[in-house]
Amino acid sequence: MLELRDVTRVYRLGEVPVVALRGANLRVEPGEFVAVVGPSGSGKSTLLQILGCLDRPTSGEVILDGQPLERLSDAERTRLRLTQIGFVFQRFHLISTLTAAENVAMPMEALGVGPDERWRRARALLEQVGMGERLHFAPARLSGGQRQRVAIARAVANQPPVLLADEPTGALHSDDKAQVIGLFRRLN
Amino acid sequence: MQAQERSALPGLTTSVDAPPWAFRQPLVVRSALRRWRGMFGMVLGVGGALGLVMMLLFIAQGSTWIYVQDYVESGTDLYVVRHGGILIGQLPGDSPGTLRDARHRLAQVRAMPEVAAAVGLLSWQLERTREGPRRGQPSEMVAAVGIDGDPERIPNLVAMRAGRWLRRADEVVLGRKLARDKGLEVGSTLTLEGRRFTVVGIGRLRSGGFGGDGSVSLDYRALRDLADSGDVLNTLLVDAPDPAAAAARIVADLDSVDTWDRQRLIAAAQQANSSGFVFMGLISVVALFIAGVFVSSMLGRSVAERRLEFATLRAIGTPNRTILGLVLAEAFLITGLGGLVGAAIGTLLSLWTDSLYADLLGIDSLYRFDPALFAAVFAIALALGALASLLPVRTALRVEPAEVLREG
């Protein structure tokens, strides 16, 4: 279970404080598929970054499976992101010098999975998202929808219990949008 | 949003081919290898600087070797000079000085039980008299060395290129540079101070560095006759099974003399070259500093361009050591390849410099393959890589994923 309790996040733009989140509360149960909607600048990305341990709240608590996250060290938060949280970004953020299979295998490598097992799982994941024929393609040779499918495969590579997606269809054409949403539903 | 664990991704039972070679390599290696095109200019820049450093190291080594070569290779154990005489000069007035009553002293040394053989040397300038069609041309001075005794009794003292060592008072041996410059060869005639000598060999004594290649060796008595020098010698060369005992005896029995052994000569040669070392060291430091700043700024630019990549890696939980490895691998690949290029450039520059030395001084090649020199260049290259990556590594590790991904 993932929970936000009265979370506030204030940025400083020079001397000016900017409130991105004010007293946000959220509770997500296992198996839930939650969509957060709101206008641009309403704090959706900030919310996801706090949920994903990329950012720390100015006040309030973030709790994952009963564990308060603000007490974790940077190294522990990094480990948590690797094992418990998968990220899908609006602009995919694949590593341009790696192939599709290598991008998917990257989180597994960080976790210490051996090359044979990494290869087996990366192939399987890419086949799962319909990219089995493009294992050795560099991101530059893939369309937007294909890149996002690779990014989704990367996000679930370490089988995290939490998958966070920040406007995952925002940079896609309508056909690709439907495919990606379908993929998320299938994963859920 | 929560993905179902494992069961959410059924069908992980596809055929398992072996992963490609590149896939098996660690991320840091793969990433560095795939970015080689962007590193090409840096490799050449580092290689050029290291090549220059390697050539300077070779020159430093070679210029010392010119001085010490004779002392290392010759079987002479002791060099006897007048008290206070200096064999390897560092100041304009430094010289071995003159031993008076020289023949008697040389006889004394030869009679010592600690001495196996001894040879006396006297350096002088003699006037060469022109012959044949060049008779009318101005005369020229030639450096001459008079030798008292048989130098072939001291192991490896004589270095012959052609012909043989002199046996009679009307024979001379020419240094290689002198023979080449004057167009003389074995069998030629050389007239010194109006007296004719036959050239019987091209060679020299290993008694004091490259200068011997530019001088003529002749019998001591012949030189005394021509130079009217009196009973003097500059240096006695001594072969002694126990050099320390022989040196003690010589200093005790002969008035006002000093002895130089091989170690003292080598130390003096290195001392004489120390100012050159400092100069070349300074040039090397400047070249390496420029190379280091160049690599560091290029790596810094590379890290700035890869900010989004590092932010993504950090966002998905890549540990700091991997980020560190990505920058270091690139730095070490650049400087390692730079070391290879530098070794190649340095070898070519060294061989070129060596040929200039050899032409100028009339000596053999000084170039010797020296694994220590190559090891030094690679050690410098790796140290350069480590130092140049300090700031870029710091920048890469300070990338804030939340901030960068918000912008990106």
Side-chain angles (χ1 to χ4, degrees):
Chain A
M1 186 183 71
L2 183 60
E3 193 175 356
L4 289 188
R5 285 185 194 158
D6 201 20
V7 166
T8 297
R9 180 67 171 99
V10 182
Y11 298 108
R12 299 204 80 83
L13 282 179
E15 293 298 307
V16 184
V18 177
V19 180
L21 282 179
R22 190 195 308 271
N25 290 283
L26 179 71
R27 188 182 169 96
V28 184
E29 298 294 338
E32 260 192 290
F33 190 122
V34 177
V36 180
V37 293
S40 176
S42 60
K44 303 184 294 297
S45 294
T46 303
L47 179 75
L48 286 185
Q49 287 184 343
I50 287 173
L51 282 171
C53 281
L54 286 177
D55 199 1
R56 290 176 188 266
T58 310
S59 64
E61 275 189 315
V62 186
I63 296 163
L64 178 63
D65 288 336
Q67 184 188 20
L69 302 186
E70 60 270 19
R71 289 180 204 153
L72 298 180
S73 67
D74 279 347
E76 286 168 332
R77 290 162 73 87
T78 300
R79 182 78 183 170
L80 190 92
R81 288 198 296 271
L82 184 63
T83 56
Q84 305 292 305
I85 299 165
F87 275 104
V88 179
F89 306 100
Q90 181 180 353
R91 294 187 188 279
F92 334 122
H93 296 327
L94 297 177
I95 307 299
S96 60
T97 51
L98 304 181
T99 64
E102 288 167 348
N103 265 288
V104 174
M106 199 171 53
M108 296 185 245
E109 186 176 348
L111 202 55
V113 178
D116 289 325
E117 177 64 6
R118 285 204 306 266
W119 175 247
R120 189 183 71 79
R121 282 163 60 178
R123 272 188 65 153
L125 283 165
L126 285 169
E127 281 170 12
Q128 225 13 69
V129 297
M131 294 292 292
E133 301 299 313
R134 288 172 171 75
L135 296 172
H136 304 298
F137 277 45
R141 294 176 61 198
L142 301 174
S143 69
Q146 288 172 330
R147 286 184 211 183
Q148 195 60 301
R149 281 186 275 158
V150 174
I152 291 168
R154 179 181 67 184
V156 297
N158 284 338
Q159 300 162 22
V162 179
L163 182 60
L164 300 171
D166 188 1
E167 299 197 43
T169 59
L172 302 180
H173 298 300
S174 49
D175 286 354
D176 290 331
K177 282 182 183 174
Q179 270 192 352
V180 166
I181 293 295
L183 191 54
F184 278 124
R185 288 200 183 283
R186 202 147 52 87
L187 287 173
N188 190 242
Chain B
M1 186 186 302
Q2 195 161 22
Q4 270 183 1
E5 202 167 336
R6 287 174 180 82
S7 57
L9 294 165
L12 294 183
T13 53
T14 53
S15 63
V16 180
D17 296 331
W21 177 86
F23 189 93
R24 290 185 166 278
Q25 307 315 306
L27 174 65
V28 291
V29 174
R30 233 178 306 142
S31 176
L33 291 177
R34 291 204 179 132
R35 294 172 54 80
W36 72 270
R37 280 189 191 87
M39 300 175 199
F40 196 68
M42 284 189 272
V43 168
L44 286 183
V46 171
L50 289 171
L52 177 68
V53 169
M54 190 170 164
M55 183 191 72
L56 292 172
L57 287 172
F58 162 73
I59 291 174
Q61 202 178 45
S63 50
T64 304
W65 183 241
I66 284 178
Y67 283 99
V68 304
Q69 188 176 25
D70 276 2
Y71 307 124
V72 171
E73 291 180 350
S74 162
T76 307
D77 297 303
L78 291 172
Y79 297 75
V80 182
V81 295
R82 190 189 71 191
H83 181 66
I86 293 171
L87 268 176
I88 296 179
Q90 296 179 38
L91 297 171
D94 289 347
S95 77
T98 308
L99 289 165
R100 302 202 178 279
D101 193 16
R103 302 215 68 196
H104 172 64
R105 289 178 183 227
L106 183 57
Q108 267 184 289
V109 171
R110 282 181 181 144
M112 290 174 183
E114 294 86 353
V115 172
V119 171
L121 302 184
L122 174 65
S123 298
W124 209 268
Q125 292 284 322
L126 296 177
E127 187 178 326
R128 181 187 176 194
T129 317
R130 298 286 192 174
E131 293 181 86
R134 295 187 176 180
R135 197 178 304 159
Q137 290 185 5
S139 58
E140 58 185 350
M141 301 307 287
V142 174
V145 180
I147 294 129
D148 188 339
D150 180 6
E152 290 182 304
R153 289 192 59 200
I154 298 179
N156 222 22
L157 176 57
V158 174
M160 294 304 294
R161 286 261 152 208
R164 60 170 174 79
W165 189 249
L166 59 99
R167 290 177 194 148
R168 294 181 356 197
D170 61 349
E171 294 176 345
V172 291
V173 169
L174 300 183
R176 192 159 68 116
K177 184 172 189 296
L178 181 67
R180 194 187 58 190
D181 291 351
K182 307 300 177 195
L184 298 168
E185 55 192 21
V186 175
S188 300
T189 301
L190 178 69
T191 305
L192 299 169
E193 306 285 352
R195 183 166 164 185
R196 293 182 71 178
F197 292 88
T198 304
V199 178
V200 295
I202 308 295
R204 66 184 186 90
L205 293 187
R206 290 193 180 94
S207 61
F210 58 89
D213 280 310
S215 59
V216 52
S217 301
L218 70 162
D219 178 71
Y220 173 68
R221 281 169 296 275
L223 178 64
R224 265 187 74 172
D225 290 346
L226 296 177
D228 196 18
S229 60
D231 185 13
V232 294
L233 286 168
N234 299 123
T235 317
L236 309 183
L237 310 184
V238 176
D239 175 26
D242 183 351
R249 170 67 75 100
I250 289 167
V251 171
D253 288 6
L254 273 64
D255 278 344
S256 301
V257 295
D258 275 346
T259 59
W260 290 59
D261 61 13
R262 198 171 284 125
Q263 285 69 34
R264 186 178 171 191
L265 285 161
I266 291 171
Q270 285 166 342
Q271 178 71 26
N273 272 333
S274 59
S275 57
F277 287 162
V278 170
F279 179 66
M280 284 182 265
L282 279 174
I283 296 177
S284 300
V285 167
V286 169
L288 290 173
F289 178 75
I290 293 170
V293 169
F294 172 62
V295 173
S296 186
S297 62
M298 295 301 276
L299 276 177
R301 208 176 79 178
S302 164
V303 166
E305 284 168 359
R306 298 169 75 188
R307 223 166 143 244
L308 191 57
E309 178 182 331
F310 292 130
T312 306
L313 287 169
R314 296 200 69 192
I316 63 175
T318 305
N320 277 350
R321 64 172 182 277
T322 306
I323 310 268
L324 178 81
L326 284 168
V327 182
L328 281 182
E330 194 164 320
F332 286 133
L333 191 65
I334 291 164
T335 50
L337 288 175
L340 279 178
V341 172
I345 292 175
T347 302
L348 291 174
L349 285 175
S350 300
L351 288 170
W352 175 67
T353 315
D354 187 51
S355 68
L356 291 184
Y357 260 126
D359 272 357
L360 191 68
L361 304 174
I363 55 171
D364 287 340
S365 167
L366 288 170
Y367 185 81
R368 293 171 300 157
F369 173 75
D370 184 0
L373 199 59
F374 283 88
V377 167
F378 275 99
I380 291 169
L382 295 181
L384 191 72
L387 284 174
S389 59
L390 284 177
L391 278 178
V393 159
R394 190 164 164 265
T395 309
L397 290 177
R398 288 190 169 187
V399 166
E400 279 296 331
E403 186 186 319
V404 176
L405 294 172
R406 205 180 295 130
E407 291 165 3

